[in-house]
Amino acid sequence: MEEWLKITLCVSLFASFRDFRPVDSFYTSYLTSPAVNFTAEQVTEDIYPINSYATTSIVIIMFLVTDYVLYKPIVMLDAFSSIVMFLLVLEPITLFKAKLSMACLGLTSACELAYMSYAYAKIRDRRLYQKMTGIVRGSNLLGKCLSSTFAQIAVSFIHIEYGLLVYISLAGSCVAFFVTFFFPPVNSSIYFHPESPKTTKSKVNYNTFHNKNHKGLEPCFVEKSPRPVRVVLDQLYLELRDAYTNPYLLKYGVWFAFATGVYFQVLTYNDVLYLNLNERNPVDNKLYNGGVDALAFITGALSSYCIGFLKADWKSASNFYFFIGSLLSCITLCICYVTTSLNLVYIMYIIFCFVFQSMNVVARSETAKHLKHDSFAFIFGVVFFISLVVSSVITYLFVQGTIISIPVNAQFLLYGLINGGLAFWFFFQMCSEKCIVK
C-alpha cells in the first residue's frame, strides 16, 4: 500500500470515531431529563455558551502550538479532551461539571484543524490533496451519519436511556484516542520547523520555501531548533496581507466568517428548538433528531461531492451562486421562526445544511486555488476564529441576554437575517460587476 494511502486511512479512521457521538443528537434532552434535571434556560444560557467562549479563546493559539509541537500531540489532545468531556457528564452531574465539560468540548473543537493539518504535513504531494481531503471528509461525515442513525434507532425502537448514549460516545472517543498512537510522527512543519535545502543556510527564504517543501527536488534537512517567533509572526502577517488585499479572496473570507458563525449557532441550538416544539405539542411533534441529523450529514456530503465535480467559472458565477444560497439559507431559518411544526423545522434544517455545505466547498476550493503561498490552514484558521467570534458575540448579546434575551425560535430569525444580509451583499456585488462590464 502506498504511504499516502496509509496516512489517509489512518486519519480517516480517527475522523470517523472522533465524531461517533450518538448523544449529540439528544444532548439537550439528556441534560433536561429527570436523571440530570437541568432546566432549558440553564442549558441555553449557562452551559452551552461555555463551548463557544472556550473555542474562541484558544483556537488561534492552538493553531500555532500545533505547528510548534509537530501536529500529532494536538491530535491526541483532541481525542483525550473529548474523553474527559464525556466522563464529566456521566451521572451524577452538577452544573459545574456540565460547564467544565463544555470547556473540554471547546478544546476539542479548537483542535479540530490539527488532524487535517497533520495529513497535509505528512503527504507532501499536492496532487494528492484533493483525493485525501475527499476521503477524510467523507469518513468524518460517515461517522456523524452512523452516530446519528444509531442514536435515533436506540431512542425510538430500543428505548434506551440517554445516559447510555454518553457511555457509547465515550467509547467512540476512546477508540479515536487509541488510533492516534498509530500515527507516524511528523518531522517538519510549515512555520516553526520548516525543511531547508542542505545547500542553503539555515535562514529560509519566505518566497521559495513552500515550493521546495512540495516539489522535493533537492535533499532537505529539518532545522533542529525552532525558528524564532518573530520570524514566524512576520511570515504570518505577510500571508494574511497577501490573502485579504485580494478582493476575490476577501469576499469568501467575509462569507465564511459570518455564515459559519451562524452555522455553529444552528448546530448548537437546533436541539433546543426541537425540544421546545416537542414540549408544546408532544403528539404531533415527535423527536427524530438522530434521523434528521443523519439525513443532514448525508445530503451535506452529497452536495459537497457534486460541487467538487462541477465545472464552473466561479470568477463570474460565484456572486450569483452565493446570492441564491444565502437567500435560501435566510428563508429556511426564518421559516423555523414562524412555524410550530417540528417536521417542517426538520426539513428546513436539512435544506439549510445542504445549501451551506455546497457553498462551503466553493469558498474553500476557490480560496485554496488563489492563495499565493501554502497557507491554507492558517488563512482558514483565521476565518474560523472570526466565525467563532461572531458566534460568541451572538451568544453573549442575545442568547445569554446581555442586551436582550430572545427565545430560541427568535434566535433563528436573527440567524436568517444575517444570511439575508449576506444575500443582499452578494446581490450588490453582482450588480456592481454588471455595471463595470457595461
Side-chain angles (χ1 to χ4, degrees):
M1 185 182 293
E2 296 182 52
E3 185 65 22
W4 77 270
L5 190 56
K6 291 180 182 178
I7 300 298
T8 301
L9 293 178
C10 196
V11 175
S12 297
L13 189 62
F14 170 82
S16 298
F17 283 102
R18 175 190 185 275
D19 284 294
F20 186 80
R21 303 189 295 206
V23 74
D24 282 2
S25 296
F26 296 95
Y27 200 59
T28 302
S29 300
Y30 171 62
L31 293 178
T32 56
S33 66
V36 180
N37 206 29
F38 291 132
T39 65
E41 289 73 20
Q42 284 179 305
V43 173
T44 304
E45 298 177 10
D46 297 331
I47 298 174
Y48 281 170
I50 302 297
N51 174 28
S52 180
Y53 298 150
T55 309
T56 305
S57 61
I58 61 177
V59 66
I60 290 294
I61 298 173
M62 192 57 64
F63 171 80
L64 295 175
V65 171
T66 299
D67 190 276
Y68 186 83
V69 300
L70 298 174
Y71 306 99
K72 182 178 176 179
I74 304 302
V75 180
M76 300 181 75
L77 178 62
D78 183 345
F80 182 75
S81 60
S82 184
I83 292 173
V84 175
M85 178 192 73
F86 288 121
L87 288 174
L88 287 170
V89 293
L90 295 175
E91 299 175 20
I93 307 175
T94 63
L95 184 59
F96 174 75
K97 288 172 64 178
K99 289 182 177 181
L100 190 58
S101 73
M102 287 294 104
C104 292
L105 179 59
L107 179 58
T108 298
S109 301
C111 295
E112 186 173 358
L113 291 174
Y115 69 87
M116 284 303 302
S117 299
Y118 168 87
Y120 289 128
K122 288 295 293 181
I123 301 173
R124 311 313 297 268
D125 189 349
R126 297 182 67 181
R127 294 171 297 180
L128 298 172
Y129 279 7
Q130 183 175 347
K131 291 182 180 178
M132 180 272 294
T133 304
I135 294 171
V136 175
R137 181 61 179 164
S139 301
N140 177 256
L141 290 172
L142 177 62
K144 290 182 177 181
C145 177
L146 292 175
S147 172
S148 302
T149 303
F150 175 84
Q152 189 62 60
I153 293 173
V155 170
S156 298
F157 298 101
I158 306 177
H159 303 292
I160 70 171
E161 295 182 355
Y162 296 128
L164 184 57
L165 294 179
V166 179
Y167 284 95
I168 298 171
S169 302
L170 174 62
S173 297
C174 289
V175 173
F177 183 66
F178 177 75
V179 170
T180 61
F181 286 95
F182 295 93
F183 277 35
V186 177
N187 297 319
S188 64
S189 62
I190 295 175
Y191 299 110
F192 285 100
H193 305 277
E195 288 182 348
S196 302
K198 288 182 179 179
T199 55
T200 65
K201 298 179 181 180
S202 61
K203 182 178 179 181
V204 179
N205 187 328
Y206 171 72
N207 294 317
T208 62
F209 87 98
H210 285 296
N211 293 332
K212 290 177 180 177
N213 277 343
H214 292 294
K215 289 180 181 177
L217 297 177
E218 303 179 39
C220 296
F221 70 94
V222 180
E223 296 180 4
K224 292 183 179 179
S225 59
R227 298 169 72 194
V229 174
R230 182 184 59 80
V231 175
V232 174
L233 292 178
D234 287 344
Q235 179 182 331
L236 295 176
Y237 168 74
L238 290 173
E239 291 185 350
L240 199 61
R241 186 192 65 184
D242 288 345
Y244 291 122
T245 52
N246 182 339
Y248 187 67
L249 295 180
L250 179 62
K251 171 178 67 178
Y252 292 118
V254 170
W255 175 85
F256 192 90
F258 285 95
T260 306
V262 167
Y263 181 70
F264 289 154
Q265 290 297 106
V266 171
L267 289 186
T268 302
Y269 293 100
N270 63 341
D271 199 14
V272 180
L273 178 62
Y274 300 159
L275 189 61
N276 181 271
L277 294 175
N278 170 259
E279 290 175 348
R280 290 187 190 181
N281 189 350
V283 177
D284 296 329
N285 291 336
K286 294 184 179 180
L287 293 174
Y288 297 104
N289 301 8
V292 170
D293 283 342
L295 285 173
F297 292 134
I298 287 297
T299 55
L302 179 63
S303 68
S304 300
Y305 180 82
C306 292
I307 291 296
F309 286 88
L310 180 66
K311 294 182 179 179
D313 180 13
W314 293 113
K315 279 275 190 179
S316 58
S318 59
N319 283 331
F320 177 74
Y321 184 77
F322 276 75
F323 163 68
I324 296 298
S326 299
L327 186 62
L328 281 174
S329 297
C330 172
I331 292 171
T332 55
L333 294 174
C334 288
I335 289 175
C336 291
Y337 165 67
V338 300
T339 187
T340 57
S341 170
L342 181 54
N343 291 331
L344 183 57
V345 170
Y346 281 149
I347 294 172
M348 292 301 103
Y349 172 67
I350 293 171
I351 295 173
F352 170 75
C353 289
F354 179 89
V355 172
F356 173 81
Q357 294 295 350
S358 65
M359 291 191 291
N360 191 27
V361 170
V362 176
R364 286 176 178 268
S365 61
E366 286 297 290
T367 299
K369 189 187 301 182
H370 291 89
L371 284 175
K372 288 183 179 179
H373 309 286
D374 259 352
S375 53
F376 176 82
F378 170 64
I379 295 301
F380 267 91
V382 170
V383 292
F384 181 59
F385 169 74
I386 297 173
S387 67
L388 289 170
V389 171
V390 171
S391 176
S392 297
V393 168
I394 293 173
T395 300
Y396 181 71
L397 297 181
F398 301 108
V399 177
Q400 291 188 300
T402 304
I403 288 182
I404 180 173
S405 181
I406 58 179
V408 65
N409 62 330
Q411 292 171 28
F412 277 71
L413 174 63
L414 174 62
Y415 307 150
L417 293 177
I418 292 174
N419 275 279
L422 289 172
F424 178 79
W425 185 58
F426 282 109
F427 180 75
F428 177 77
Q429 286 206 325
M430 187 170 55
C431 293
S432 299
E433 281 185 355
K434 290 186 176 180
C435 291
I436 292 173
V437 171
K438 291 181 180 179

